[in-house]
Amino acid sequence: MKPIRGGPLAGRTVLVTGGTGGIGKATAAGLAAMGARVAITGRDRDRTEAAAREIRAAGGLVDVFVADLSAQSEVRRLAEEVLHTLVRIDVLVNNVGGYWNPRHETADGLERTFALNHLAPFLLTHLLLDRLTQSAPARVVTVSSNAQAQGRIDFDDLQGVRSYSGARAYSQSKLANVLFSYELARRLHGTSVTANALHPGVVSTSFGAEDPATVQRVLIPFLRHFMKTPAEGAATSIHLASAPALEQVSGRFFADSKPKTSSQRSYDQATAARLWQVSADLVGLTTAGGPPSPPRLAPKI
């Protein structure tokens, strides 16, 4: 796909987390083809540079950032580097995510699924919020999943210390994505920055391959023929990031590029507000009166 010079996203800058493969890389490539300057993040420099070279070979403009977003220090370093490099951010696509069958802890002592899938986008969005607001109209697009329908926020055991299930932790994190998007939309009302979440579909990628559950090892090889390709899975993310008709649409859940009703739990504003406070505490942000203000960018050391 050749980029459209002077295309619909010409002059726009989009940051896509987890852009080294699968849906994230396809999202970045699709937006670059529409004329956007894209920035991608990845844990491994070689993989991230390789993905960037592939997009550049098709004529895209790409910036590369390397960070393991399961660690809060890495999220903060990433935000600092992004703010130094990108003078504007028109769209933030919170795409990065993972699934682990046994329980793992991060460098911060947090359950890894919750830390990467929810706390990382929560923190990164807040650290980049000033730049998004300055670039408005701007958009925050968060990749959730239909697994949110099975999710519930267990405030009594949020980190799965007493009882852990990979599937339960993943569903909880995907519900948290939707609750975060809806609460962010409420708090950003009137700012010209929108926040929406989406289900990309069941996509054939290497997602969860690091630590697969038995059902993944057994069933996925037989189901791949029926799954979406990464490009098809990226279609809804690209739509939310670029469609002119969605410039003022906020606080919605999408699948197949259409608004859908998410789970009943996702509309519970008391749960959303409590999750916001708990999340802010876990990542060290102040939440009095609205979205935490990102710290002013300190000089790079």
Side-chain angles (χ1 to χ4, degrees), residues 196-215:
N196 293 293
L198 68 104
H199 168 55
V202 181
V203 183
S204 180
T205 69
S206 60
F207 181 82
E210 287 181 24
D211 201 351
T214 301
V215 67

Side-chain angles (χ1 to χ4, degrees), residues 96-97 112-124 153 158 172-181 275-276 278-280 282-283:
V96 74
R112 191 173 183 179
T113 306
F114 188 76
L116 180 65
N117 293 5
H118 169 61
L119 292 178
F122 179 87
L123 177 57
L124 183 62
I153 307 299
L158 202 57
Q172 174 181 252
S173 73
K174 294 291 103 178
L175 174 59
N177 290 155
V178 183
L179 286 162
F180 165 60
S181 295
L275 177 64
W276 185 283
V278 169
S279 302
L282 287 171
V283 300

Side-chain angles (χ1 to χ4, degrees), residues 89-265:
I89 304 173
D90 299 277
V91 185
L92 168 62
V93 181
N94 288 313
N95 170 80
V96 74
Y99 178 104
W100 291 273
N101 199 40
R103 186 179 184 276
H104 297 269
E105 285 194 358
T106 68
D108 303 300
L110 301 171
E111 190 278 310
R112 191 173 183 179
T113 306
F114 188 76
L116 180 65
N117 293 5
H118 169 61
L119 292 178
F122 179 87
L123 177 57
L124 183 62
T125 300
H126 285 86
L127 294 174
L128 300 180
L129 200 54
D130 275 355
R131 188 60 47 86
L132 284 157
T133 303
Q134 292 162 8
S135 306
R139 310 181 188 198
V140 178
V141 176
T142 300
V143 179
S144 178
S145 163
N146 268 353
Q148 55 84 29
Q150 285 76 52
R152 74 181 185 88
I153 307 299
D154 185 356
F155 289 108
D156 294 327
D157 191 23
L158 202 57
Q159 306 299 324
V161 175
R162 293 202 299 268
S163 174
Y164 181 83
S165 151
R168 192 165 66 245
Y170 181 73
S171 297
Q172 174 181 252
S173 73
K174 294 291 103 178
L175 174 59
N177 290 155
V178 183
L179 286 162
F180 165 60
S181 295
Y182 290 173
E183 182 68 9
L184 182 63
R186 283 189 286 270
R187 294 181 180 228
L188 292 176
H189 181 71
T191 66
S192 295
V193 179
T194 62
N196 293 293
L198 68 104
H199 168 55
V202 181
V203 183
S204 180
T205 69
S206 60
F207 181 82
E210 287 181 24
D211 201 351
T214 301
V215 67
Q216 288 175 285
R217 291 195 298 268
V218 174
L219 293 181
I220 294 302
F222 297 99
L223 296 176
R224 287 201 185 278
H225 178 71
F226 302 98
M227 294 179 175
K228 289 183 176 182
T229 65
E232 291 170 336
T236 302
S237 295
I238 292 170
H239 178 69
L240 291 186
S242 64
L246 298 181
E247 187 171 290
Q248 298 182 39
V249 174
S250 194
R252 301 295 299 273
F253 182 74
F254 287 76
D256 294 322
S257 299
K258 298 175 182 176
K260 303 286 184 182
T261 301
S262 53
S263 68
Q264 184 175 351
R265 289 189 180 103

Side-chain angles (χ1 to χ4, degrees), residues 20-32:
T20 60
I23 296 169
K25 185 170 78 170
T27 299
L31 294 169

